[in-house]
Amino acid sequence: MDLARARIYKPAKTAMQSGRAKTKKWVLEFEPGSARHVEPLMGWTSSRDTNAQVLLRFDSKEEAVAYADKHGIEYQIFEPKGRRRTIKSYADNFKFGRQGLWTH
């Protein structure tokens, strides 16, 4: 039996949402164990790797690491990147010497 490999990370906010709803928990996701192939009759993409369907969520990174260690799962941790915020005021849109072009 070969060892399963997994990634432990905190998911980023998608571009299609404004909130940060599903970004608080840590995720343990297995790496693909085999290549995907196209099923000839219907054209669906499939895989024989059942671990590709498993996605585990944990409240903390330590819980995810403890689970991986307990079950003998080889893992790699990806730390989240910090958010960069550019704080602007509404008055900056109308100031003299503004860099951007007016669109109206």
Side-chain angles (χ1 to χ4, degrees):
M1 181 178 146
D2 56 355
L3 289 174
R5 296 186 60 193
R7 295 183 287 249
I8 298 175
Y9 63 94
K10 202 168 189 181
K13 180 180 83 67
T14 66
M16 298 303 293
Q17 67 186 19
S18 60
R20 297 171 33 90
K22 295 185 178 179
T23 63
K24 305 241 187 277
K25 294 191 181 264
W26 285 83
V27 174
L28 185 139
E29 179 181 34
F30 289 96
E31 292 181 358
S34 64
R36 295 182 181 266
H37 60 279
V38 177
E39 194 264 324
L41 181 63
M42 297 297 290
W44 295 336
T45 304
S46 64
S47 173
R48 297 192 186 279
D49 182 23
T50 56
N51 280 340
Q53 301 172 11
V54 177
L55 186 84
L56 302 172
R57 297 184 190 277
F58 297 92
D59 289 329
S60 68
K61 176 175 64 171
E62 290 77 21
E63 289 178 14
V65 169
Y67 179 86
D69 288 337
K70 179 180 177 183
H71 293 284
I73 300 169
E74 183 181 333
Y75 60 89
Q76 184 176 5
I77 299 174
F78 295 94
E79 294 290 337
K81 294 182 181 175
R83 291 177 54 191
R84 284 187 298 147
R85 295 186 56 187
T86 305
I87 299 173
K88 300 181 196 176
S89 70
Y90 181 69
D92 288 342
N93 292 329
F94 307 102
K95 72 180 180 181
F96 184 78
R98 173 187 150 128
Q99 294 296 319
L101 299 174
W102 289 99
T103 59
H104 55 281

